[in-house]
Amino acid sequence: MRWLFVKDLLILRRSPLLVGLLVVYPIVIAVLIGFALSRGPDKPTVAFLNQLPETGQTIDLGGEQIDASQYADAFFESVDPVRVSSREEAIEKVRDGDVLAALIIPPDVTQKLQSGVEPATLEVYYNAEDPAKRAFVEDTINAQVQRANAALTEQFTEVAVSYIDLLNTGGQFTLLGQTIDILGLTRAETLLTEAQQELPEDSPARAQIQQVIEFAGLARENLDLSDDVLASVGSPIRVDAEIVEGGTTPLTSFAVAIAVTMSLMFVTLLLAAGTLALEREENAFRRLVRGLVSQTALLAEKIGLAAACSLLVSLVMLVGLALFVGLDFARFPLWVLALAAGAIAFAAMGVAIGALAREVRAASLLAFMLALPIAFLALVPSGSVSGGLFTVIDVISHLFPFKHTLDAMDAALNGSGGLLAPLLWLAAVTLAYGAAGRLALRRFA
Amino acid sequence: MNSSAARVTAGTSDRVLEARELTKRYGDRAALSGVSLAAARGERVAVIGPNGAGKTTLLSILAGIQAPDSGTVSRAPTEIGWVPQQAALYGKLTVAENLRLFARLERSPDVEGTVERMLEMTGLGDRAGDQVGTLSGGNRQRVNIAIGLLGDPPVLLLDEPSTALDPRQRERLWDFVGELRDTTVIYSTHNVQEAERYAGQLVVLADGERLFAGSPRELEQVVGAAELDFEAAFVAFLHQRGH
C-alpha cells in the first residue's frame, strides 16, 4: 500500500496546478479571514450637518450645563464624518454615493431637549439601493442614537435626583439668575415639631400640626428611595445572561474554526474523490485489485493520502491565521487531533463520492456540490427556523462530517464543549462512509 | 462444432490453462454458455467472434476479474498475466516508474532487475524516463503488456491488444508478443487476419456459445470453401451456424 501512497504523491507532485490550488486555497482563505477578523469593519462615511446656533450647543437642565458636542463626539467615534454646509449638499452626497448616509442636527434640538416636553428629532438621509447597506446604516445610527438617549437619560436622572435631594434636605436653587432658598422637608419637619411644642397642651392646632409633621416625615423617607426608582426608570430593562448550552467562544475564534473546517472539507473531499476516480480513469483499478492490492486497502490508501495532505495544509492555514488572531499554541496537540479526525472522516466521504461518481470530473463536481449545502446546513442556528425543520436539518448535519469537525475544532481551538463527543461522531461517520465506499466499489470497474 | 462437443486442442500433458464449462449470465442474457478452452505452453490462442459474442467476458473470467456462475479455471488469477484493452498505466509516471511500481506490487524479488529486463524486452530503454502520457499508443501498449508480464506468468491474456494501433504499431506489437516464446498467449480480437496470422488455435464465440476450437486451417476445412480467403471463410462459417 505504501507504494501506492508514494505513487499518488509523485502524481500530485507532477500536477503543479492541482497542488498549487490545494496549497494556495487555504492560505488565501486564511489571509482573507485573518484580515477581516483583525481589522474589523471600516467606519461608514456619513455627511454631517450641525444646524445648532453657536450659542445653542449646550442644554441647561436645572442650572446644569450639558454640552451636546460630547454626544456628537461619541457618535463620530463610530462613523467617518464629512462635514457639509447645507441640507442640499448632504442629500446630494448621499445620492451620488459619496457618503453612506447624512445626519442633520436641526437648530431646535437643544430647545426641545431642554423643554422636556417634546422629543428632539435628528434627520437621517441614506441610500437604500442595497438592502445590506441600508441595514448597516440603520443599525449604526440606531445604535448611536440609543447610546445618546441612554447618556441623556442618565443626565436627566441626575438632575431630577438633585431636585429631589433639594426638596428633601433643602438648600439653594438658582432660577433665572435669582437664588431661591428651599426649606426642605427635613428642616420643615424640625420647625413644625418645634412650633408644635410651643403650643398649649389643649390647643386643637397640635393635632393638625402633628398630621403635617407625619406627612413630612413620610415624604422624606420615601423620597430617600427616589434615587433607585429613577435609576430603574432610566434603565428599565437590564440583561442577566446565562449560557445554557454551548461554549463561550469569541466570534473571531469561531470564525477561525469555520474557516479551517471549510478548507479541510474542500481539500480532503476533492483529493480523496479525485484520486480514487483517477484509478478508474487510468484503467488501473482492475489491474490493482486483481490480486496486487485489496479493494479495502486501496480505499484506506486514498483516505490516508487525502487526510495526510489536507491535515498538512490545514495546519499551515491555522498557523497563518494565528498571525492575525490570538490562538493558544499550547493546545496544538488538540488541533492536530481534531484536524486528523475530521480529515479522515472527510476522506472517507470523499472515497464514497469517488466510488459512486467513477470519473474525476464528475467526482470533483459532486464533492463540490455536496460540500456547500452540508456546510450551510451545519451552520443554521437553532431558533432561526421552525422546530421541526431544525430537527430535520440537525439530523442531516449529523450524517456528514462537517458539523462534527466544526465542533471538534471549536473544542480544540477554544476549549468550547468537549472534544470526545465530536471525535466519536467522526469515527462513526468515517466507518459509515468507508463502508459505503467499499460497497460502491462493486460497480466501480 | 458446438459447446457440447468441446474439443481441446492442447494435449492433456502440456496444458498450462484449462477452462471447463464456463457459464455467465447478466440478468436474462447469457454472456457465456458452457464454454471450455485449453491452451498448451507457448501456444497462441485467438478468441474471435462478432460483437457481443462473449470474448471480453471469457477473458475477464480467465483473468479472475469476474467470477463465473458455473465452471472452473485451472489456474489462480495471480498465475495469469492480464493486459486490458485500454492501457492500465499512470500517465504522469515515467515508463520506468510504472514498471517499478507494479514490480513492487507484484513483490518482485529484484525490482530493478525486473524493470531493466522489461525495458530491454519492450525496446523502450531510451524512453524509460519519459512520462507514459507522452508515448504513442503502440509504445503505451508495449508497457501495458510488459506490466502484465512482470510476474513471469505462464499465461498472458491480451484483451483486443491492437485495437487502437496503426498497422505499423500492430506489426511491432505482434513481433514483441512473438518473442514471448514460453508464454502461452490468449488474446481476443476483431481482426480475423490477425487471428489467422498469429494464432495456433482459434476459439470462435457467438452469442456466448463456443462454435469452434481449432487451427485456422481446420476452420477453413469446416467451411469447405478453399477458394475463399480466411475472413470470407470465417463469415461463411458464422452464416452456416446461423449467426
Side-chain angles (χ1 to χ4, degrees), chain A residues 1 3-4 7-8 10-11 14-16 278-279 282-288 290-293 445, chain B residues 63 65 77 80 82 84 86-93 97 101-102 104-106 131 144 147-148:
Chain A
M1 196 163 76
W3 297 119
L4 282 178
K7 177 268 294 181
D8 281 332
L10 204 54
I11 289 175
R14 288 178 186 161
S15 308
L278 186 68
E279 296 292 359
E282 298 272 36
N283 303 306
F285 175 74
R286 288 199 297 184
R287 176 168 264 167
L288 290 174
R290 259 192 82 231
L292 301 181
V293 60
Chain B
I65 292 166
I80 298 173
W82 175 67
Q86 301 284 335
L89 306 166
Y90 297 103
K92 289 277 186 186
L93 300 189
E97 285 166 346
L101 168 68
F102 284 102
R104 282 173 173 147
L105 293 175
E106 292 272 7
Q131 289 187 15
N144 195 28
I147 288 173

Side-chain angles (χ1 to χ4, degrees), chain A residues 127-424:
Chain A
N127 195 331
E129 63 182 6
D130 179 344
K133 188 190 289 184
R134 186 182 65 188
F136 178 58
V137 172
E138 285 176 349
D139 289 347
T140 302
I141 290 174
N142 283 339
Q144 295 311 315
V145 169
Q146 290 292 342
R147 285 180 60 187
N149 273 337
L152 282 170
T153 300
E154 190 179 339
Q155 196 71 51
F156 278 127
T157 303
E158 281 179 19
V159 170
V161 167
S162 70
Y163 287 165
I164 290 169
D165 284 344
L166 193 64
L167 283 174
N168 206 354
T169 59
Q172 290 188 326
F173 175 66
T174 304
L175 180 65
L176 300 173
Q178 288 189 323
T179 302
I180 304 167
D181 192 34
I182 304 294
L183 179 62
L185 288 169
T186 306
R187 286 170 57 196
E189 189 181 1
T190 306
L191 290 174
L192 283 168
T193 304
E194 289 171 4
Q196 187 191 38
Q197 287 172 352
E198 290 178 7
L199 287 172
E201 286 291 330
D202 56 349
S203 172
R206 285 184 78 102
Q208 292 170 332
I209 290 175
Q210 182 60 37
Q211 282 186 321
V212 178
I213 290 170
E214 286 174 4
F215 168 75
L218 191 65
R220 182 174 47 78
E221 286 169 6
N222 283 288
L223 283 174
D224 278 345
L225 302 172
S226 60
D227 292 11
D228 295 337
V229 172
L230 284 171
S232 297
V233 171
S235 302
I237 297 175
R238 289 180 183 169
V239 176
D240 183 11
E242 189 173 331
I243 295 170
V244 175
E245 190 174 318
T248 54
T249 304
L251 182 60
T252 51
S253 301
F254 190 59
V256 169
I258 292 175
V260 172
T261 306
M262 288 282 271
S263 293
L264 185 75
M265 174 176 66
F266 277 115
V267 173
T268 318
L269 282 183
L270 291 173
L271 255 185
T275 52
L276 181 63
L278 186 68
E279 296 292 359
R280 184 175 178 274
E281 278 201 357
E282 298 272 36
N283 303 306
F285 175 74
R286 288 199 297 184
R287 176 168 264 167
L288 290 174
V289 299
R290 259 192 82 231
L292 301 181
V293 60
S294 72
Q295 294 189 9
T296 304
L298 184 66
L299 284 188
E301 185 267 325
K302 300 304 175 200
I303 290 172
L305 175 86
C309 291
S310 59
L311 175 64
L312 188 66
V313 293
S314 300
L315 280 175
V316 169
M317 180 180 179
L318 262 181
V319 173
L321 282 169
L323 298 175
F324 301 95
V325 181
L327 296 178
D328 183 5
F329 273 91
R331 303 178 69 83
F332 188 82
L334 296 179
W335 302 0
V336 175
L337 183 63
L339 277 175
I344 291 170
F346 280 127
M349 184 179 165
V351 294
I353 291 171
L356 281 172
R358 304 198 294 171
E359 292 174 2
V360 175
R361 271 179 287 189
S364 303
L365 185 63
L366 186 57
F368 201 81
M369 288 172 67
L370 275 172
L372 286 177
I374 287 169
F376 174 75
L377 288 178
L379 292 172
V380 172
S382 61
S384 61
V385 293
S386 69
L389 180 58
F390 182 75
T391 302
V392 173
I393 289 172
D394 198 38
V395 169
I396 293 172
S397 294
H398 275 78
L399 299 177
F400 298 99
F402 186 89
K403 180 181 172 56
H404 310 303
T405 305
L406 182 60
D407 289 346
M409 284 308 301
D410 195 18
L413 287 172
N414 308 307
S416 175
L419 187 57
L420 182 63
L423 289 182
L424 289 175

